[in-house]
Amino acid sequence: MTTIERNIGLNRGKSRLWIEGKALASEGWTKGKRFDIEWNGGVLRYVANVDGKRKVAGTSERPIIDTNTDKLGIFAPRVAVNITSECITIVKA
């Protein structure tokens, strides 16, 4: 498992979380990997799913997950991001 901390930013008036690079790639979250988003009890999860509605963007060297949603506002200003090959869990830092 890889754990990182990130700041919650703003984009067009909505909360934004940007995750990129080695932290994702080291756990197998590479460009094109599909996933679904789950919101449950104040925890945001990106769950790997070959038929998922979303996919990792960026390049093979620099994968990117960029999320804009008002729901992230409850985590501001900082989140802890726990990354495994099957799931990314986001909680208030």
Side-chain angles (χ1 to χ4, degrees):
M1 180 169 66
T2 301
T3 301
I4 58 175
E5 288 194 10
R6 291 289 183 264
N7 290 325
I8 298 296
L10 283 175
N11 182 37
R12 298 182 184 176
K14 293 192 181 233
S15 299
R16 180 184 201 183
L17 176 61
W18 180 278
I19 308 168
E20 69 174 309
K22 292 180 185 178
L24 290 173
S26 67
E27 297 293 341
W29 290 80
T30 55
K31 180 183 178 185
K33 182 171 184 164
R34 299 196 75 84
F35 63 96
D36 288 316
I37 295 179
E38 296 178 356
W39 178 260
N40 188 6
V43 176
L44 180 63
R45 296 178 67 208
Y46 304 141
V47 181
N49 177 355
V50 295
D51 297 317
K53 294 181 180 178
R54 299 177 183 253
K55 65 182 177 178
V56 178
T59 65
S60 56
E61 295 82 29
R62 186 174 156 242
I64 297 169
I65 296 177
D66 182 16
T67 305
N68 288 330
T69 178
D70 290 330
K71 291 181 179 180
L72 289 170
I74 69 162
F75 296 127
R78 199 150 172 85
V79 293
V81 181
N82 300 310
I83 306 168
T84 68
S85 61
E86 293 301 314
C87 180
I88 298 173
T89 305
I90 298 147
V91 295
K92 188 167 180 69

Coordinates of all heavy atoms in Angstrom, one line a residue:
M1 N 0.8 -1.2 0.0 CA 0.0 0.0 0.0 C 0.9 1.2 0.0 O 1.9 1.3 0.7 CB -0.9 0.0 1.2 CG -1.8 1.2 1.2 SD -3.2 1.2 2.4 CE -2.3 1.3 4.0
T2 N 0.5 2.2 -0.8 CA 1.1 3.5 -0.8 C 0.2 4.6 -0.2 O -1.0 4.6 -0.5 CB 1.4 3.9 -2.3 OG1 2.3 2.9 -2.9 CG2 2.1 5.3 -2.3
T3 N 0.7 5.4 0.7 CA -0.1 6.4 1.3 C 0.5 7.8 1.0 O 1.7 8.0 1.2 CB -0.2 6.2 2.8 OG1 -0.8 5.0 3.1 CG2 -1.1 7.3 3.5
I4 N -0.3 8.7 0.6 CA 0.2 10.1 0.3 C -0.8 11.1 0.9 O -2.0 10.7 1.2 CB 0.3 10.3 -1.2 CG1 -1.0 10.1 -2.0 CG2 1.5 9.5 -1.8 CD1 -0.9 10.4 -3.4
E5 N -0.5 12.3 1.0 CA -1.4 13.4 1.4 C -1.5 14.4 0.3 O -0.5 14.7 -0.4 CB -1.0 14.0 2.7 CG -1.2 13.1 3.9 CD -1.1 13.9 5.2 OE1 -1.0 15.1 5.2 OE2 -1.0 13.2 6.3
R6 N -2.7 14.9 0.1 CA -2.9 15.9 -1.0 C -3.8 17.0 -0.4 O -4.6 16.8 0.5 CB -3.6 15.3 -2.2 CG -2.7 14.3 -3.0 CD -1.6 15.1 -3.7 NE -0.8 14.3 -4.5 CZ 0.4 13.7 -4.1 NH1 0.8 14.0 -3.0 NH2 1.1 13.0 -5.0
N7 N -3.7 18.2 -1.0 CA -4.5 19.3 -0.6 C -5.8 19.2 -1.5 O -5.7 18.8 -2.7 CB -3.8 20.7 -0.9 CG -2.8 20.9 0.1 OD1 -2.9 20.5 1.3 ND2 -1.7 21.6 -0.3
I8 N -6.9 19.7 -1.0 CA -8.1 19.8 -1.8 C -8.0 21.2 -2.4 O -7.9 22.2 -1.7 CB -9.4 19.7 -1.0 CG1 -9.5 18.3 -0.3 CG2 -10.6 20.0 -1.8 CD1 -9.6 17.2 -1.4
G9 N -8.1 21.3 -3.7 CA -8.1 22.6 -4.4 C -9.5 23.0 -4.9 O -10.5 22.4 -4.5
L10 N -9.5 24.0 -5.8 CA -10.8 24.4 -6.4 C -10.6 24.5 -7.9 O -9.6 24.9 -8.4 CB -11.2 25.8 -5.8 CG -11.8 25.9 -4.4 CD1 -12.0 27.3 -4.1 CD2 -13.1 25.1 -4.4
N11 N -11.7 24.1 -8.6 CA -11.7 24.3 -10.0 C -13.1 24.6 -10.4 O -14.1 23.8 -10.2 CB -11.3 23.0 -10.7 CG -11.3 23.1 -12.2 OD1 -10.9 24.2 -12.8 ND2 -11.6 22.1 -12.9
R12 N -13.3 25.8 -11.0 CA -14.7 26.3 -11.4 C -15.7 26.2 -10.2 O -16.8 25.8 -10.4 CB -15.1 25.5 -12.6 CG -14.3 25.7 -13.8 CD -14.8 25.0 -15.0 NE -13.8 25.2 -16.1 CZ -13.9 24.6 -17.2 NH1 -14.9 23.8 -17.5 NH2 -13.0 24.8 -18.2
G13 N -15.2 26.6 -9.0 CA -16.1 26.6 -7.9 C -16.4 25.3 -7.2 O -17.1 25.2 -6.2
K14 N -15.8 24.2 -7.7 CA -16.0 22.9 -7.1 C -14.7 22.4 -6.5 O -13.6 22.7 -7.0 CB -16.5 21.9 -8.1 CG -17.9 22.2 -8.6 CD -18.4 21.0 -9.4 CE -19.8 21.4 -9.9 NZ -20.8 20.4 -9.5
S15 N -14.8 21.6 -5.4 CA -13.6 21.0 -4.8 C -12.9 20.1 -5.8 O -13.6 19.4 -6.6 CB -14.0 20.3 -3.6 OG -14.6 21.1 -2.6
R16 N -11.6 20.0 -5.8 CA -10.8 19.2 -6.7 C -9.7 18.5 -6.0 O -9.0 19.0 -5.2 CB -10.2 20.2 -7.7 CG -9.4 19.4 -8.8 CD -8.7 20.4 -9.7 NE -8.3 19.8 -10.9 CZ -7.7 20.4 -11.9 NH1 -7.3 21.7 -11.7 NH2 -7.3 19.8 -13.0
L17 N -9.6 17.2 -6.4 CA -8.5 16.3 -5.9 C -7.8 15.8 -7.1 O -8.4 15.2 -8.0 CB -9.1 15.2 -5.1 CG -8.0 14.1 -4.6 CD1 -7.0 14.8 -3.7 CD2 -8.7 13.0 -3.9
W18 N -6.5 16.0 -7.1 CA -5.6 15.6 -8.2 C -4.6 14.7 -7.7 O -3.8 15.0 -6.8 CB -4.9 16.9 -8.8 CG -4.0 16.7 -9.9 CD1 -2.7 16.3 -9.8 CD2 -4.2 16.9 -11.3 NE1 -2.1 16.2 -11.1 CE2 -3.1 16.6 -12.0 CE3 -5.3 17.4 -12.0 CZ2 -3.0 16.8 -13.4 CZ3 -5.2 17.5 -13.4 CH2 -4.1 17.2 -14.0
I19 N -4.6 13.4 -8.3 CA -3.6 12.4 -7.9 C -2.8 12.0 -9.1 O -3.5 11.8 -10.2 CB -4.3 11.2 -7.3 CG1 -5.2 11.6 -6.2 CG2 -3.2 10.2 -6.8 CD1 -6.1 10.4 -5.7
E20 N -1.5 12.0 -9.1 CA -0.8 11.6 -10.3 C 0.6 11.0 -10.0 O 1.0 10.9 -8.8 CB -0.5 12.9 -11.1 CG 0.5 13.8 -10.4 CD 0.9 15.0 -11.2 OE1 1.3 14.8 -12.4 OE2 0.8 16.1 -10.7
G21 N 1.2 10.4 -11.0 CA 2.5 9.9 -11.0 C 2.8 8.6 -10.3 O 2.0 7.7 -10.4
K22 N 4.0 8.5 -9.7 CA 4.5 7.3 -9.1 C 3.6 6.6 -8.1 O 3.6 5.4 -8.0 CB 5.9 7.6 -8.5 CG 7.0 7.9 -9.5 CD 8.3 8.1 -8.8 CE 9.3 8.6 -9.8 NZ 10.6 8.9 -9.1
A23 N 2.9 7.4 -7.3 CA 2.1 6.9 -6.3 C 1.0 6.0 -6.9 O 0.7 4.9 -6.4 CB 1.4 8.0 -5.4
L24 N 0.5 6.4 -8.0 CA -0.5 5.6 -8.8 C 0.1 4.4 -9.5 O -0.3 3.3 -9.4 CB -1.3 6.4 -9.8 CG -2.3 7.5 -9.2 CD1 -2.8 8.4 -10.4 CD2 -3.4 6.8 -8.5
A25 N 1.2 4.7 -10.3 CA 1.8 3.7 -11.1 C 2.4 2.6 -10.3 O 2.3 1.4 -10.7 CB 2.9 4.4 -11.9
S26 N 2.9 2.9 -9.1 CA 3.5 1.8 -8.3 C 2.5 0.8 -7.8 O 2.9 -0.3 -7.5 CB 4.3 2.5 -7.1 OG 3.3 3.0 -6.2
E27 N 1.3 1.2 -7.8 CA 0.2 0.2 -7.3 C -0.6 -0.3 -8.5 O -1.7 -0.9 -8.3 CB -0.7 0.9 -6.3 CG 0.0 1.3 -5.0 CD 0.5 0.1 -4.2 OE1 0.0 -1.0 -4.4 OE2 1.4 0.3 -3.4
G28 N -0.2 0.0 -9.7 CA -0.8 -0.6 -10.9 C -2.0 0.3 -11.5 O -2.7 -0.2 -12.4
W29 N -2.1 1.5 -11.0 CA -3.1 2.4 -11.5 C -2.5 3.2 -12.7 O -2.0 4.3 -12.6 CB -3.6 3.4 -10.5 CG -4.5 2.7 -9.4 CD1 -4.0 1.9 -8.4 CD2 -5.9 2.6 -9.4 NE1 -5.0 1.4 -7.7 CE2 -6.2 1.8 -8.3 CE3 -6.9 3.2 -10.2 CZ2 -7.5 1.6 -7.9 CZ3 -8.2 2.9 -9.8 CH2 -8.5 2.1 -8.7
T30 N -2.5 2.6 -13.9 CA -1.9 3.1 -15.1 C -2.9 3.7 -16.0 O -4.1 3.4 -15.9 CB -1.0 2.1 -15.7 OG1 -1.8 0.9 -16.0 CG2 0.2 1.6 -14.9
K31 N -2.5 4.4 -17.0 CA -3.4 5.0 -18.0 C -4.3 4.0 -18.6 O -3.9 2.9 -19.0 CB -2.6 5.7 -19.1 CG -3.5 6.3 -20.2 CD -2.7 6.9 -21.3 CE -3.7 7.4 -22.3 NZ -3.1 7.9 -23.5
G32 N -5.6 4.3 -18.6 CA -6.6 3.4 -19.1 C -7.2 2.4 -18.2 O -8.3 1.8 -18.5
K33 N -6.7 2.3 -17.0 CA -7.3 1.4 -16.0 C -8.7 2.0 -15.6 O -8.8 3.1 -15.3 CB -6.4 1.3 -14.7 CG -7.0 0.3 -13.7 CD -6.1 0.0 -12.5 CE -6.6 -1.0 -11.6 NZ -5.6 -1.5 -10.7
R34 N -9.7 1.1 -15.6 CA -11.0 1.6 -15.3 C -11.4 1.3 -13.9 O -10.9 0.4 -13.2 CB -12.0 0.8 -16.3 CG -11.7 1.1 -17.7 CD -12.7 0.8 -18.7 NE -13.8 1.7 -18.7 CZ -13.9 2.8 -19.3 NH1 -12.9 3.2 -20.1 NH2 -15.0 3.6 -19.3
F35 N -12.3 2.2 -13.4 CA -12.7 2.2 -12.0 C -14.1 2.8 -11.8 O -14.6 3.5 -12.7 CB -11.7 2.8 -11.1 CG -11.5 4.3 -11.4 CD1 -12.1 5.3 -10.6 CD2 -10.6 4.8 -12.3 CE1 -11.9 6.6 -10.8 CE2 -10.4 6.1 -12.6 CZ -11.1 7.1 -11.8
D36 N -14.7 2.6 -10.7 CA -15.9 3.2 -10.3 C -15.6 4.0 -9.0 O -14.7 3.7 -8.2 CB -17.0 2.2 -10.0 CG -17.5 1.5 -11.3 OD1 -17.8 2.3 -12.2 OD2 -17.7 0.3 -11.3
I37 N -16.5 5.0 -8.7 CA -16.4 5.8 -7.5 C -17.5 5.4 -6.6 O -18.7 5.3 -7.0 CB -16.5 7.3 -7.8 CG1 -15.3 7.7 -8.7 CG2 -16.5 8.1 -6.5 CD1 -15.2 9.2 -9.1
E38 N -17.1 5.2 -5.3 CA -18.1 4.9 -4.2 C -18.0 5.9 -3.2 O -16.9 6.3 -2.8 CB -17.8 3.5 -3.6 CG -18.0 2.3 -4.6 CD -17.6 1.0 -3.9 OE1 -17.2 1.0 -2.7 OE2 -17.8 0.0 -4.6
W39 N -19.1 6.4 -2.7 CA -19.2 7.3 -1.6 C -20.0 6.7 -0.4 O -21.1 6.3 -0.6 CB -19.9 8.6 -2.0 CG -20.0 9.6 -1.0 CD1 -21.1 9.9 -0.2 CD2 -19.0 10.5 -0.5 NE1 -20.8 10.9 0.6 CE2 -19.5 11.3 0.5 CE3 -17.6 10.7 -0.9 CZ2 -18.8 12.3 1.2 CZ3 -16.9 11.7 -0.2 CH2 -17.5 12.5 0.8
N40 N -19.3 6.5 0.7 CA -20.0 5.8 1.8 C -19.5 6.3 3.1 O -18.4 6.1 3.5 CB -19.8 4.3 1.7 CG -20.6 3.5 2.7 OD1 -21.5 4.0 3.4 ND2 -20.4 2.2 2.7
G41 N -20.4 6.9 3.9 CA -20.1 7.3 5.3 C -18.9 8.2 5.4 O -18.1 8.1 6.3
G42 N -18.8 9.2 4.5 CA -17.7 10.1 4.6 C -16.3 9.6 4.1 O -15.3 10.2 4.3
V43 N -16.4 8.5 3.4 CA -15.2 7.9 2.8 C -15.4 7.8 1.3 O -16.4 7.3 0.8 CB -14.9 6.5 3.3 CG1 -13.7 5.9 2.6 CG2 -14.6 6.6 4.8
L44 N -14.4 8.3 0.5 CA -14.5 8.3 -1.0 C -13.6 7.2 -1.4 O -12.4 7.1 -1.0 CB -14.1 9.6 -1.6 CG -14.1 9.7 -3.1 CD1 -15.5 9.6 -3.6 CD2 -13.5 11.1 -3.5
R45 N -14.1 6.3 -2.3 CA -13.2 5.2 -2.8 C -13.3 5.1 -4.3 O -14.4 5.2 -4.9 CB -13.7 3.8 -2.2 CG -13.6 3.8 -0.7 CD -14.1 2.5 -0.1 NE -13.2 1.4 -0.5 CZ -13.6 0.1 -0.7 NH1 -14.9 -0.2 -0.5 NH2 -12.8 -0.8 -1.1
Y46 N -12.2 4.9 -4.9 CA -12.1 4.5 -6.3 C -11.8 3.0 -6.3 O -10.7 2.6 -5.8 CB -10.9 5.3 -7.0 CG -11.0 6.8 -6.9 CD1 -9.8 7.5 -6.7 CD2 -12.1 7.5 -6.9 CE1 -9.8 8.9 -6.6 CE2 -12.2 8.9 -6.8 CZ -11.0 9.5 -6.7 OH -11.0 10.9 -6.6
V47 N -12.7 2.3 -6.9 CA -12.6 0.8 -6.9 C -12.3 0.3 -8.3 O -13.1 0.6 -9.2 CB -13.9 0.2 -6.3 CG1 -13.8 -1.4 -6.3 CG2 -14.2 0.7 -4.9
A48 N -11.2 -0.4 -8.5 CA -10.9 -1.0 -9.8 C -12.0 -1.9 -10.3 O -12.6 -2.7 -9.5 CB -9.6 -1.8 -9.7
N49 N -12.4 -1.7 -11.6 CA -13.4 -2.5 -12.2 C -13.2 -2.4 -13.7 O -13.2 -1.4 -14.3 CB -14.8 -1.8 -11.8 CG -16.0 -2.6 -12.5 OD1 -15.8 -3.5 -13.3 ND2 -17.2 -2.1 -12.1
V50 N -13.0 -3.6 -14.3 CA -12.7 -3.6 -15.7 C -13.8 -3.0 -16.6 O -13.5 -2.6 -17.7 CB -12.4 -5.1 -16.2 CG1 -11.1 -5.6 -15.6 CG2 -13.5 -6.0 -16.0
D51 N -15.0 -2.9 -16.1 CA -16.1 -2.3 -16.8 C -16.5 -1.0 -16.1 O -17.6 -0.5 -16.4 CB -17.3 -3.2 -16.8 CG -17.0 -4.5 -17.5 OD1 -16.4 -4.5 -18.6 OD2 -17.4 -5.6 -17.0
G52 N -15.6 -0.4 -15.4 CA -15.9 0.9 -14.7 C -16.3 2.0 -15.6 O -15.9 2.1 -16.7
K53 N -17.0 3.0 -15.0 CA -17.5 4.2 -15.7 C -16.4 5.2 -15.9 O -16.5 6.1 -16.8 CB -18.6 4.8 -15.0 CG -19.8 3.9 -14.9 CD -21.0 4.6 -14.2 CE -22.2 3.7 -14.2 NZ -23.3 4.3 -13.4
R54 N -15.3 5.1 -15.2 CA -14.2 6.1 -15.3 C -12.9 5.4 -15.6 O -12.8 4.2 -15.4 CB -14.1 6.9 -14.0 CG -15.3 7.7 -13.7 CD -15.2 8.4 -12.4 NE -16.4 9.1 -12.0 CZ -16.6 10.4 -12.1 NH1 -15.6 11.2 -12.5 NH2 -17.7 10.9 -11.8
K55 N -11.9 6.2 -16.1 CA -10.6 5.6 -16.3 C -9.5 6.6 -16.0 O -9.7 7.8 -16.0 CB -10.5 5.1 -17.7 CG -10.5 6.1 -18.8 CD -10.4 5.5 -20.2 CE -10.5 6.5 -21.2 NZ -10.4 5.9 -22.6
V56 N -8.4 6.0 -15.7 CA -7.2 6.8 -15.4 C -6.7 7.5 -16.7 O -6.6 6.9 -17.7 CB -6.0 5.9 -14.8 CG1 -4.8 6.7 -14.5 CG2 -6.5 5.2 -13.5
A57 N -6.4 8.8 -16.5 CA -6.0 9.6 -17.7 C -4.5 9.7 -17.6 O -3.8 9.0 -16.9 CB -6.6 11.0 -17.6
G58 N -3.9 10.6 -18.4 CA -2.5 10.9 -18.4 C -1.7 10.1 -19.4 O -2.3 9.8 -20.5
T59 N -0.5 9.8 -19.0 CA 0.4 9.0 -19.9 C 0.8 7.7 -19.2 O 0.6 7.6 -18.0 CB 1.6 9.8 -20.3 OG1 2.4 10.0 -19.2 CG2 1.2 11.1 -21.0
S60 N 1.5 6.8 -19.9 CA 2.0 5.6 -19.2 C 3.0 6.0 -18.1 O 3.1 5.3 -17.1 CB 2.5 4.6 -20.2 OG 3.5 5.2 -21.0
E61 N 3.8 7.0 -18.3 CA 4.8 7.4 -17.3 C 4.1 8.3 -16.2 O 4.7 8.4 -15.1 CB 5.9 8.2 -18.0 CG 6.7 7.5 -18.9 CD 6.1 7.4 -20.3 OE1 5.3 8.3 -20.7 OE2 6.3 6.4 -21.0
R62 N 3.0 9.0 -16.5 CA 2.4 9.9 -15.5 C 0.9 9.7 -15.5 O 0.2 10.5 -16.1 CB 2.8 11.3 -15.9 CG 2.4 12.3 -14.8 CD 2.9 13.7 -15.2 NE 2.1 14.7 -14.6 CZ 1.4 15.6 -15.3 NH1 1.5 15.7 -16.6 NH2 0.7 16.5 -14.7
P63 N 0.4 8.7 -14.9 CA -1.1 8.5 -14.8 C -1.7 9.6 -13.9 O -1.0 10.1 -13.0 CB -1.2 7.1 -14.1 CG 0.1 6.9 -13.4 CD 1.1 7.6 -14.2
I64 N -2.9 9.9 -14.2 CA -3.6 11.0 -13.5 C -5.1 10.6 -13.2 O -5.8 10.1 -14.1 CB -3.6 12.3 -14.3 CG1 -2.2 12.8 -14.6 CG2 -4.5 13.4 -13.7 CD1 -2.2 13.9 -15.6
I65 N -5.5 10.9 -12.0 CA -6.9 10.8 -11.6 C -7.2 12.2 -11.1 O -6.6 12.7 -10.1 CB -7.2 9.8 -10.5 CG1 -6.9 8.4 -11.1 CG2 -8.6 9.9 -10.1 CD1 -7.1 7.2 -10.1
D66 N -8.2 12.9 -11.7 CA -8.6 14.2 -11.4 C -10.1 14.2 -11.1 O -10.9 13.8 -11.9 CB -8.3 15.1 -12.6 CG -8.7 16.6 -12.4 OD1 -8.9 17.0 -11.2 OD2 -8.8 17.3 -13.3
T67 N -10.5 14.5 -9.9 CA -11.9 14.5 -9.5 C -12.4 15.9 -9.0 O -11.7 16.5 -8.2 CB -12.1 13.5 -8.3 OG1 -11.5 12.2 -8.7 CG2 -13.5 13.4 -7.9
N68 N -13.5 16.3 -9.6 CA -14.1 17.6 -9.2 C -15.5 17.2 -8.7 O -16.3 16.8 -9.5 CB -14.3 18.5 -10.4 CG -13.0 19.1 -10.9 OD1 -12.1 19.3 -10.1 ND2 -12.9 19.4 -12.1
T69 N -15.8 17.5 -7.4 CA -17.1 17.3 -6.9 C -17.2 18.1 -5.6 O -16.2 18.2 -4.8 CB -17.4 15.8 -6.6 OG1 -18.6 15.7 -6.0 CG2 -16.3 15.2 -5.7
D70 N -18.4 18.6 -5.3 CA -18.6 19.3 -4.1 C -18.5 18.4 -2.8 O -18.2 18.9 -1.8 CB -20.0 19.9 -4.1 CG -20.2 21.0 -5.1 OD1 -19.2 21.7 -5.3 OD2 -21.3 21.2 -5.6
K71 N -18.6 17.1 -3.0 CA -18.5 16.2 -1.9 C -17.1 16.2 -1.3 O -16.9 16.0 -0.1 CB -18.8 14.8 -2.3 CG -20.2 14.5 -2.7 CD -20.5 13.1 -3.1 CE -22.0 12.9 -3.3 NZ -22.3 11.6 -3.7
L72 N -16.1 16.6 -2.0 CA -14.7 16.7 -1.5 C -14.5 17.8 -0.5 O -13.6 17.8 0.3 CB -13.7 16.9 -2.6 CG -13.5 15.7 -3.6 CD1 -12.7 16.1 -4.8 CD2 -12.8 14.5 -2.8
G73 N -15.5 18.7 -0.5 CA -15.4 19.9 0.4 C -15.3 19.5 1.9 O -14.7 20.2 2.7
I74 N -15.9 18.4 2.2 CA -15.9 18.0 3.6 C -14.5 17.5 4.1 O -14.3 17.5 5.3 CB -16.9 16.8 3.9 CG1 -16.5 15.5 3.3 CG2 -18.3 17.2 3.5 CD1 -17.2 14.3 3.9
F75 N -13.7 17.2 3.1 CA -12.3 16.8 3.5 C -11.3 18.0 3.6 O -10.2 17.8 4.1 CB -11.8 15.9 2.4 CG -12.5 14.6 2.3 CD1 -13.0 14.2 1.1 CD2 -12.7 13.7 3.4 CE1 -13.7 13.0 0.9 CE2 -13.4 12.5 3.2 CZ -13.9 12.2 2.0
A76 N -11.7 19.1 3.1 CA -10.8 20.3 3.0 C -10.2 20.6 4.4 O -10.8 20.4 5.4 CB -11.5 21.5 2.4
P77 N -8.9 21.0 4.4 CA -8.1 21.4 3.3 C -7.2 20.2 2.8 O -6.5 20.4 1.8 CB -7.2 22.5 3.9 CG -7.0 22.1 5.3 CD -8.4 21.4 5.7
R78 N -7.1 19.1 3.5 CA -6.1 18.1 3.2 C -6.7 16.7 3.4 O -7.5 16.4 4.3 CB -4.9 18.3 4.1 CG -3.7 17.6 3.6 CD -2.4 18.4 4.1 NE -1.2 17.7 3.8 CZ -0.6 17.8 2.6 NH1 -1.1 18.5 1.7 NH2 0.5 17.1 2.4
V79 N -6.3 15.8 2.5 CA -6.8 14.4 2.6 C -5.6 13.4 2.6 O -4.5 13.7 2.2 CB -7.6 14.0 1.3 CG1 -8.9 14.8 1.4 CG2 -6.9 14.2 0.0
A80 N -5.9 12.2 3.2 CA -4.9 11.1 3.1 C -5.5 10.2 2.0 O -6.7 9.9 2.0 CB -4.9 10.4 4.4
V81 N -4.6 9.7 1.2 CA -4.9 8.9 0.0 C -4.2 7.6 0.2 O -2.9 7.5 0.1 CB -4.6 9.6 -1.3 CG1 -5.0 8.7 -2.5 CG2 -5.2 10.9 -1.4
N82 N -4.9 6.5 0.4 CA -4.3 5.2 0.6 C -4.6 4.4 -0.7 O -5.7 4.2 -1.1 CB -5.0 4.4 1.7 CG -4.8 5.2 3.0 OD1 -3.7 5.5 3.4 ND2 -5.8 5.4 3.8
I83 N -3.5 4.0 -1.4 CA -3.6 3.4 -2.7 C -3.1 1.9 -2.6 O -2.0 1.6 -2.2 CB -2.7 4.1 -3.7 CG1 -3.1 5.6 -3.7 CG2 -2.9 3.5 -5.1 CD1 -2.1 6.5 -4.5
T84 N -4.0 1.0 -3.1 CA -3.6 -0.4 -3.3 C -4.0 -0.7 -4.8 O -4.6 0.1 -5.5 CB -4.4 -1.4 -2.4 OG1 -5.8 -1.4 -2.8 CG2 -4.2 -1.0 -0.9
S85 N -3.6 -1.9 -5.2 CA -3.9 -2.2 -6.6 C -5.4 -2.3 -6.9 O -5.8 -2.1 -8.1 CB -3.2 -3.6 -7.0 OG -3.8 -4.6 -6.2
E86 N -6.2 -2.6 -5.9 CA -7.7 -2.7 -6.1 C -8.5 -1.5 -5.7 O -9.6 -1.4 -6.2 CB -8.2 -4.0 -5.4 CG -7.6 -5.3 -5.9 CD -8.0 -5.5 -7.4 OE1 -9.1 -5.2 -7.8 OE2 -7.1 -5.8 -8.2
C87 N -8.0 -0.6 -4.9 CA -8.8 0.4 -4.3 C -7.9 1.6 -3.9 O -6.8 1.5 -3.4 CB -9.5 -0.1 -3.1 SG -10.6 1.0 -2.3
I88 N -8.5 2.8 -4.1 CA -7.9 4.1 -3.6 C -8.9 4.6 -2.6 O -10.1 4.8 -3.0 CB -7.6 5.1 -4.7 CG1 -6.6 4.5 -5.7 CG2 -7.1 6.4 -4.1 CD1 -6.4 5.3 -6.9
T89 N -8.5 4.8 -1.4 CA -9.4 5.3 -0.3 C -9.0 6.7 0.1 O -7.8 6.9 0.4 CB -9.4 4.3 0.9 OG1 -9.7 3.0 0.5 CG2 -10.4 4.8 2.0
I90 N -9.9 7.6 0.2 CA -9.6 9.0 0.5 C -10.4 9.4 1.8 O -11.6 9.2 1.8 CB -10.0 9.9 -0.7 CG1 -9.2 9.5 -1.9 CG2 -9.9 11.4 -0.3 CD1 -9.9 9.7 -3.2
V91 N -9.6 9.8 2.8 CA -10.2 10.3 4.0 C -9.6 11.6 4.5 O -8.5 11.9 4.0 CB -10.0 9.2 5.1 CG1 -10.8 7.9 4.8 CG2 -8.6 8.9 5.4
K92 N -10.2 12.3 5.4 CA -9.7 13.5 5.9 C -8.4 13.2 6.6 O -8.2 12.3 7.3 CB -10.7 14.2 6.8 CG -10.3 15.6 7.3 CD -11.4 16.2 8.0 CE -11.1 17.6 8.4 NZ -10.9 18.6 7.3
A93 N -7.4 14.1 6.3 CA -6.0 13.9 6.9 C -6.0 14.4 8.3 O -6.8 15.3 8.7 CB -5.0 14.6 6.1

